[in-house]
Amino acid sequence: MRRAAILLVGWLSLVAPALAVQPDEVLADPALEARARGLSAELRCMVCQNQSIDDSNADLARDLRVLVRERLTAGDTDEQVIDYVVARYGEFVLLKPRFNVRNALLWGTPALLLLVGGAFLIVSARSRKPAVNAALSADEKARLDAVLKDGG
């Protein structure tokens, strides 16, 4: 029984999320710390790229966490902190990019191309004329009737 408990605790320690925030980074004010954790969850680690700086153990992520906490302690609002980090590292640092014209073009271009391609296909199909659109002559009709009457 004891061995099973040890294995369970060991397995759970591997499954649990790694919290990268170091004790020396934590702010004394719980409200500011909660804001810092919220902002850190929105910012991408530039080294890991698919992790937030809150989850990453990279040195750059640690520097960004410290920077966020310094800005909050200095009295910046959440938006000012995000704007500062984006101005310094670019919009790629945001895990959820802001909506702007460039993003709209990025997401809208495939749909626009599908619409344009579909319209082109419809217009080209309607303008296409059948290859043979002539009526049968009297002689051809007679031969066709004879073939059909004979059964092939």
Side-chain angles (χ1 to χ4, degrees):
M1 180 69 175
R2 183 174 177 188
R3 185 175 181 175
I6 291 172
L7 287 173
L8 180 65
V9 169
W11 182 78
L12 287 176
S13 68
L14 294 174
V15 175
L19 300 176
V21 178
Q22 303 299 316
D24 62 332
E25 298 174 26
V26 177
L27 296 173
D29 183 6
L32 276 180
E33 180 61 26
R35 284 177 55 202
R37 295 299 288 263
L39 290 173
S40 295
E42 295 176 17
L43 297 173
R44 177 188 320 270
C45 174
M46 302 301 280
V47 176
C48 307
Q49 295 195 3
N50 281 336
Q51 280 186 322
S52 69
I53 62 170
D54 201 41
D55 297 331
S56 175
N57 287 324
D59 290 337
L60 181 60
R62 183 187 194 299
D63 293 344
L64 281 172
R65 287 192 304 267
V66 169
L67 175 73
V68 165
R69 284 166 173 75
E70 286 174 356
R71 301 294 295 187
L72 287 175
T73 327
D76 286 359
T77 65
D78 292 358
E79 191 62 34
Q80 288 173 327
V81 172
I82 294 290
D83 289 341
Y84 179 80
V85 174
V86 167
R88 195 167 178 186
Y89 293 98
E91 188 139 339
F92 183 72
V93 77
L94 298 176
L95 280 173
K96 296 177 187 168
R98 298 172 177 163
F99 182 77
N100 59 28
V101 175
R102 194 173 63 209
N103 292 346
L105 285 174
L106 177 68
W107 288 99
T109 300
L112 184 64
L113 287 174
L114 281 174
L115 288 174
V116 169
F120 175 76
L121 288 174
I122 290 171
V123 168
S124 65
R126 285 186 179 173
S127 66
R128 196 177 290 165
K129 295 181 181 176
V132 178
N133 194 13
L136 295 176
S137 66
D139 186 37
E140 290 171 332
K141 282 184 186 180
R143 283 193 310 177
L144 181 60
D145 287 339
V147 168
L148 290 175
K149 195 176 209 183
D150 290 338

